[in-house]
Amino acid sequence: MLLVRPIRVSDLPALEHFAEASGVGVTSLPNDRERLYERIQRSNSSFASDIASQGEEIYVFVLERDGEVLGTASIVASAGFDEPFYNYRNETLVHASPSLKVNNKIHALTMCHDLTGQTQLGGFHVLPEVMAGDGARLLSRARLMFIASHRARFSDRLIAELLGQCDDNLQSPFWDAIGRRFFNLDYAAAEHLVATKSKTFVAELMPTYPIYVPLLPDAAQQVMGQVHPDAEVPFAILADEGFEADNYIDIFDGGAVLTARARDVRSISKSRVFSVGIDNVHPEGSATWLVSSERCVDFRSGLLQAGIRDNTLWITPDAAEALQVVAGDKVRAIEFQGEGRDAA
């Protein structure tokens, strides 16, 4: 079965492969072995921590099938914990002259760190053969189930930066129109700095005054709030969950920044906690469920056939072994219907 679990040190070679394959722009997967190893160690410490509040933790998950790692995704408990988390905020500025009877509303971008401290979903990458199937949806949503089970560790608002548009030569129209004029660096070099160092240099060099969108080249305007083809599936999954992309964009490539209140996210608000029952025979009306254990360090989440009877979720012995649960344990579950929205 497809299973999501916390990352291990032994997964480092797979994580290196994902970092290399994810390419420019996915700064939460730096193509640097030492930094990836540090990320795994930090994740292990986060899962093992006995905390009751949101902090600097990072939780990294992997998707596996029969021991083969097929993808990875992460949660950053507090975006920008050590430094401000920068984005452009979409704004409308009004320029009016009563004497000339002119009243113009102009779209502008203002650099801000409104989203600093919010819980960030990131580091999402799966093998191409998995992207179009249920595995990608399981991996993305398992993080939300984990948040639902450990609410004190995360903020009330969730965010996700998605990869923006760039061409085959790794040129970003948005970056070329703004960032390159202040950094004298191409898009790939700027993203590498962010991935391996920090975003603090952004505040030092980028303009802090509003940028009037109508003054930008058409190519830059057209990619604002858009996502790279590689990010279309993750975008669709989060949109189905209730995330929206109206107010913010990425400062480098102009990609969409999704936001949602945790209480409005489908896998958080509609999932329920059940006791586990184990039987080789499912109750009548069994269906496919997304099921997650309620543990932290031994968290497991998977898609499996299950049925409900007397507020008990009945699963097979093999499924119980995969989730590392026994009869009477608590699990969180929501009925899964594949592509599109699940049952209410």
Side-chain angles (χ1 to χ4, degrees), residues 18-34:
F18 298 146
E20 182 178 0
S22 64
V24 174
V26 186
T27 53
S28 50
L29 275 177
N31 191 11
D32 182 302
R33 181 181 179 87
E34 182 176 345

Side-chain angles (χ1 to χ4, degrees), residues 323-335:
L323 294 177
Q324 296 185 2
V325 295
V326 298
D329 280 352
K330 299 297 184 181
V331 292
R332 180 172 297 273
I334 183 171
E335 192 172 346

